[in-house]
Amino acid sequence: MAIDFLESKTKVNLMRAFAGESQARNRYTIAAEAAKDQGFYAVQQIFLFTAEQERAHARRFYDLLKNISGNTVEIAGGYPVDHYDSVIELLRAAEYNELEEYGDVYQVFGKEAKEEGLIEAASTFFQIAEIEAVHGRRFGKMAELLEKNKYFESDQNNRWMCLNCGYIHTGKMVPGVCPVCRQDRGYFIPAELAPYLGYNFVQ
């Protein structure tokens, strides 16, 4: 039997999750600006794409608090400061935070909600945790390719997609500008990252 929601740990955990997701959305929006300034337009798009998903997560957690509207929920928690100039550092920090949410934070929150009989909240924590794992892997893969200088070139023929117009390039290196839309090479995304954005390289 569920306990009184106002007396629950889950109420606090939902507000902490709402705060965390809201901050992640803003961090990724700021990171997107840094990526754009450095000519990584596809990285910018991935940060913005993920930021919008974080907004959806925050909304879901906030909706689960609707039945206590008018109350104030006090929370205490630590939240990361990831204000780096390097796009790689921004990606690695995002990877770490997403995987921490997946493997630690939301597992604890989900377990506590289940113990309190708040099954919908528990399910939400566990479901969103799985999405955060995808976010973490996506950021990690991008960072790895940049660290190895494999984001714009490869030892063998590879495929890249221009996110601006959809042109697919095959070769060992991305062209300096897209031959179709004439946008900078920063709009290209490697084939291995495309599925994370729902793109398909089937021609």
Side-chain angles (χ1 to χ4, degrees), residues 94-118:
E95 175 194 21
Y96 176 85
N97 293 328
E98 296 288 344
L99 294 180
E100 183 180 45
E101 283 182 335
Y102 158 68
D104 181 14
V105 178
Y106 288 165
Q107 301 303 324
V108 171
F109 289 179
K111 180 175 178 288
E112 290 180 346
K114 187 175 180 180
E115 289 171 351
E116 292 180 330
L118 299 167

Side-chain angles (χ1 to χ4, degrees), residues 77-92:
Y79 297 95
V81 178
D82 298 325
H83 205 342
Y84 302 110
D85 294 326
S86 162
V87 169
I88 292 174
E89 285 181 293
L90 290 168
L91 289 166
R92 285 299 186 194

Side-chain angles (χ1 to χ4, degrees), residues 78-189:
Y79 297 95
V81 178
D82 298 325
H83 205 342
Y84 302 110
D85 294 326
S86 162
V87 169
I88 292 174
E89 285 181 293
L90 290 168
L91 289 166
R92 285 299 186 194
E95 175 194 21
Y96 176 85
N97 293 328
E98 296 288 344
L99 294 180
E100 183 180 45
E101 283 182 335
Y102 158 68
D104 181 14
V105 178
Y106 288 165
Q107 301 303 324
V108 171
F109 289 179
K111 180 175 178 288
E112 290 180 346
K114 187 175 180 180
E115 289 171 351
E116 292 180 330
L118 299 167
I119 303 306
E120 184 179 5
S123 296
T124 301
F125 283 127
F126 292 137
Q127 289 167 339
I128 290 178
E130 294 299 322
I131 299 168
E132 306 300 16
V134 175
H135 290 178
R137 290 193 296 270
R138 178 163 67 217
F139 287 132
K141 184 62 177 177
M142 294 184 76
E144 178 187 348
L145 290 172
L146 287 169
E147 287 166 346
K148 294 180 177 179
N149 294 315
K150 301 292 185 184
Y151 192 88
F152 292 122
E153 57 186 272
S154 176
D155 296 331
Q156 56 191 11
N157 278 346
N158 195 9
R159 294 197 295 173
W160 289 266
M161 175 186 282
C162 173
L163 291 185
N164 187 59
C165 72
Y167 169 72
I168 296 174
H169 173 77
T170 301
K172 291 185 177 180
M173 185 177 294
V174 171
V177 296
C178 176
V180 176
C181 67
R182 298 296 191 261
Q183 293 296 324
D184 184 86
R185 71 174 189 162
Y187 282 95
F188 280 92
I189 186 171

Side-chain angles (χ1 to χ4, degrees), residues 61-75:
F61 291 133
Y62 198 52
D63 284 347
L64 288 169
L65 290 162
K66 187 174 182 179
N67 64 336
I68 60 166
S69 291
N71 287 276
T72 297
V73 179
E74 294 188 14
I75 61 171

